[in-house]
Amino acid sequence: MEIGTDNVKGKSVPNQRSNQIDVKEVLYKTVHHFFPYFVDWLSQIDDPRQENKIQYPLPFLIWIGILLFMMKLESRRQINFQFNTKEFIENLNILAGVELDKVAHDCTLAYLLKRLVIGSISKLRRRMINRLIRMRCLERFRLLGRYYLITIDATGHLIFKERHCEHCLVMKINGKEYYYHNVLEAKLVGANGLALSILSEFIENPNEKYDKQDCELKAFYRLAENLKRYFPQLPICLLLDSLYAKKPVFDICKENKWKYIITFKEGSMPATYAEYIALKSLCPENIAHLKRDEIEQDYHWVNDIDYQDHLLGVLECNELKPGKDDKKEHTRFVWISNLEINKATFKEIAQGGRLRWKTENEGFNTQKNGGYNMEHAYSQDELAAKNFYLLLQIAHIINQLMEKGSLLKEEDIQKIFGSIRNIARKLLEDFRTKATTLTHLQDLLSVPFQIRFDWYFDTS
């Protein structure tokens, strides 16, 4: 079935409600509401090209790159086929604040990104995140009313059968060498499923000779330094997997006054794990039982476990829920944290711990399999590939603000579009077929409106 259609007696017919929703106008409103200075930010990026040879201004090209991912076209060459209508160019001109009569070729965008300093797009993303924080639109998602939840996790980005560049990581599978690039992502997450990329640290080998390859932990130390540099006053609680349950990570968090909730496995810190098992039976007051519908949860916790100059708390959740063949399905979660765990905080801390894997998994999975095609090499050039990756992150931020904002109701997404992916297709259709004049846009934005987020996201 095509976008915006209903099925009547086996036939696809136009969905009138879909036609009434102009997703392009939702984009205009969303960008204007959250990032009113977006064009100015783009104009402030240093253009590496020769000024007398520039045909397409930098804001115009950057928006082409963002829309490539927002519309989930999955390959760079689609720019040449999908962005070439008169209506699309007029709409693109309004976004970029220019007046051009044709769209740039995909190679023109790639040429720019091969030369654009990697920090330029990163700075643009930081401005977006800072704007959201200062607007206080993410306030309700703060843990215990104070801490912004930031997940840090690595994922695969690109893989090649032959060496791609001197920074490639190398692995052997069945005796054959493969060359790949990973990236460590810091995402600000919310209880409604938001996963907004705030920092990216590429995992890559250095130019000079090295004894050991770059890895996720080394990248974390670099990323943590940048996180403190760019967000020095932000109250942070990191959500981490068991790889990070170690003293150097605890030291960094203590120095930066960060809180953390880390997945705790016996093999990570065996002595501390054994101490928790021995102590939990001695703390009968640190027990809670919760039941919701057919899901039952038993909680145990212990505070002030001494570990190499750090006082740690351990929180355990044993969950029973209906499984197959009328059998109960048991799941056990254990976290280690420097937050005080008590009757008032245990439930929210556990929700934060579970939010890490649920939101992160959906975030990476969406970017890989939800139309963004993150593992596709949008350029063979090393610098351009990184810049394309960062444009993908910006596009995903804007898409999430549209999808989870109140301009598009959740029931409308399901009933009208059928899926979130179809919103991207409708956005492309509206850009290609419906031109928006500057006068109409001014009239549209002159009417006061609000954008709110649903606060609740089921983490059970």
Side-chain angles (χ1 to χ4, degrees), residues 297-314:
Q297 296 173 329
D298 286 304
Y299 291 90
H300 303 265
W301 64 87
V302 175
N303 287 301
D304 298 330
I305 298 177
D306 186 53
Y307 176 78
Q308 301 185 26
D309 299 325
H310 294 275
L311 291 178
L312 306 174
V314 178

Side-chain angles (χ1 to χ4, degrees), residues 398-415:
I398 298 174
N399 270 354
Q400 288 181 84
L401 296 177
M402 291 172 58
E403 294 160 1
K404 300 183 184 300
S406 54
L407 296 181
L408 289 176
K409 304 294 184 182
E410 182 178 355
E411 57 268 23
D412 287 338
I413 292 176
Q414 297 300 322
K415 293 179 180 179

Side-chain angles (χ1 to χ4, degrees), residues 144 301 340-349:
L144 303 175
W301 64 87
E340 179 68 23
I341 308 169
N342 53 47
K343 294 282 188 181
T345 64
F346 79 90
K347 183 179 178 181
E348 196 168 344
I349 292 172

Side-chain angles (χ1 to χ4, degrees), residues 39 42-43 49 56-64 92 95-98:
V39 173
L42 291 176
S43 301
R49 300 169 297 170
Y56 299 98
L58 185 143
F60 188 81
L61 293 177
I62 294 296
W63 260 117
I64 288 177
L92 182 56
L95 279 176
V98 298

